[in-house]
Amino acid sequence: MKLVTYVLDANTPREGGRAGVLLNDLILDLATLGRWAAAREAAFARLSPGSEASLPSTLLALLQEGASAWERLRIAFALASQTEPAHLQSQEGLAFPLEQVHLRPPIPTPPTIRDFFAFEAHVRNARARSGLEVPPQWYQIPVFYFSNTSALYGHDEAIPYPRHSQALDYELEMAAVIGREGQDIAAEQAADYIAGYMIMNDWSARDLQLQEMAVQLGPAKGKDFATSFGPWLVTPDELQPYRRGSGADERFDLPMRARVNGVLLTEANFQEIYYTFPHMIERASQHVRLRPGDILGSGTCGGGCLLELGQERHRWLSVGDVVELEIAGLGLLRNSIVASPHHPE
């Protein structure tokens, strides 16, 4: 399944998004879908006796409710899949054409965001720009930093150019969302904790990042002004055709591409990752509790940003640029750059 957070009015406050599931070119509202299914399917009703809203209205609540909520969703989605689209659209508040909704980040308010540094090619290429080699410690542990959970954007949302920066960059990444609570999770079992995957753009102000990391702390302001996720959260079963390896070595053969203003700049493949998501989950969960909705970013793929490609290939991003990130099986995440209130065009 492909799960979304959507609004019908782009001016809806950030906390006002509702959970939906994609059925062909329709977005089905999750809570309304639950009530619709309960009135038609005895097996569904038995799973949620006495429940006024048999499916939650947010994806975070779906993850927090756990296995029983997922089972109700599977039954309801199967029932909708066997129903004529015209009937679904005739039900008040149930189905909306995809082109009529505005997508927000699938998980608009995650408990945490950890962004890793897991592609060797990215580490090697980026450090080579400064005449540096990959530090030996990088091969010992998967490292990450915490990102800002309150500056998130979805598909087709405009990204304000960060004030005080003149070196805006994109970063092509894949993200995994934690589906159930766990601590000290072994890599061999870690894939069972993943609820789904999505595209991630870790926007970076390179001049601010360089300034911060010169004092061996960060990144912070060089990163926390914006992160994009989307267009939807794809459940693991949909990626099975791309799966290579298992357990701690689980990877996916997923071509990755980035374009700026329609010009292809990045081509990579997710299976080139050095540290897998199971490795990242093992590291992230050491001594601490991972919770439903926590997000883990893969870090940038090889050649997945302008820092690696160099100014001879493409200038830093500017107001008016359109960045498209695409990963097979996950869709396309597009954002345009706009002037912030205090940034000149």
Side-chain angles (χ1 to χ4, degrees), residues 5 7 10-17 103-105 108-109 150-154 157:
T5 294
V7 296
N11 296 316
T12 302
R14 306 302 298 180
E15 62 274 13
L103 296 179
R104 295 282 171 82
T109 55
S150 61
L152 307 186
Y153 296 84
E157 290 197 282

Side-chain angles (χ1 to χ4, degrees), residues 40-104:
R40 288 160 179 79
E41 177 64 54
F44 184 96
R46 285 196 299 271
L47 287 172
S48 52
S51 175
E52 181 179 343
S54 49
L55 282 175
S57 60
T58 70
L59 292 189
L60 186 57
L62 176 74
L63 298 176
Q64 291 169 339
E65 286 192 31
S68 63
W70 280 101
E71 182 59 25
R72 299 197 303 272
L73 175 55
R74 290 186 188 97
I75 293 174
F77 186 74
L79 184 62
S81 300
Q82 299 162 11
T83 304
E84 287 292 328
H87 172 78
L88 297 173
Q89 289 184 265
S90 72
Q91 306 300 300
E92 184 177 0
L94 175 57
F96 306 94
L98 178 58
E99 66 270 15
Q100 293 181 13
V101 307
H102 302 273
L103 296 179
R104 295 282 171 82

